[in-house]
Amino acid sequence: MRKASILAMAMCIMMSLPACEPDERMETSAIPEKENGHNNKNENNMTTKMKITVGNYTLTASLEDNATAQAFAAKLPITLPMLDLYGREMCYRFPEELPADNARTRGYKVGEIVYYPPMHSFVIMYAQNGEHFLMQSIGHVEGDVSIFNGIGDVNVRFERME
């Protein structure tokens, strides 16, 4: 009988403990911004801006603060012969791989600039088809990416903005 009472008391105590959820009084993020992937600032706390030129069109993009974006930014200025693929993306395949320390399989947003590690592909997503694939986010275009719709294969110039 004594064992049953102890067991019942232990069960009551365990049931009254909160589940493995954070205390509501705690801040929602104890992870520094740079580690949780939401920091778009460079070492000088400034967003890295990039000018994209396609024929007579000019767009602006912001690069993220990650190893992949930094490796790409180190190549600027650069003109890339980009392929218009699948009616949704402009793509250039680098001969060498770029670092991709946070690549994961997920969906994408129109205007997002991503790196597809298996093919060393630098990609500007200009239309949505709902597909999910392995990617590392590099940044996003701040203008109207519909200029790429139906443009075909084209040279695209990328330059750092000061």
Side-chain angles (χ1 to χ4, degrees), residues 48 50 63-78 80 92 94 96-101 115 120 122 136-139 158 160:
T48 302
M50 179 172 64
L63 296 177
E64 294 191 16
D65 184 17
N66 61 45
T68 313
Q70 290 169 3
F72 178 74
K75 297 177 178 298
L76 301 177
I78 190 170
L80 301 175
Y92 174 76
F94 284 104
E96 74 284 350
E97 69 180 330
L98 299 179
D101 56 351
Y115 176 69
H120 308 172
F122 172 80
Q136 167 73 50
S137 185
I138 295 176
F158 300 89
R160 186 182 305 267

Side-chain angles (χ1 to χ4, degrees), residues 107-122:
Y108 61 89
K109 294 179 184 173
V110 171
E112 190 169 9
I113 303 170
V114 301
Y115 176 69
Y116 178 64
M119 300 291 290
H120 308 172
S121 300
F122 172 80

Side-chain angles (χ1 to χ4, degrees), residues 18-95:
C20 296
E21 294 188 22
D23 186 336
E24 291 178 3
R25 295 169 294 179
M26 294 177 62
E27 292 182 29
T28 56
S29 178
I31 302 171
E33 286 184 357
K34 189 170 184 176
E35 290 179 18
N36 72 14
H38 296 295
N39 185 353
N40 288 339
K41 308 289 182 186
N42 63 20
E43 292 176 359
N44 299 323
N45 263 349
M46 296 180 66
T47 301
T48 302
K49 295 282 190 177
M50 179 172 64
K51 180 169 94 171
I52 302 170
T53 306
V54 185
N56 295 328
Y57 297 100
T58 301
L59 300 168
T60 301
S62 294
L63 296 177
E64 294 191 16
D65 184 17
N66 61 45
T68 313
Q70 290 169 3
F72 178 74
K75 297 177 178 298
L76 301 177
I78 190 170
T79 300
L80 301 175
M82 298 192 79
L83 304 171
D84 186 359
L85 299 178
Y86 317 116
R88 70 166 188 210
E89 66 190 60
M90 298 304 295
C91 175
Y92 174 76
R93 293 187 179 113
F94 284 104

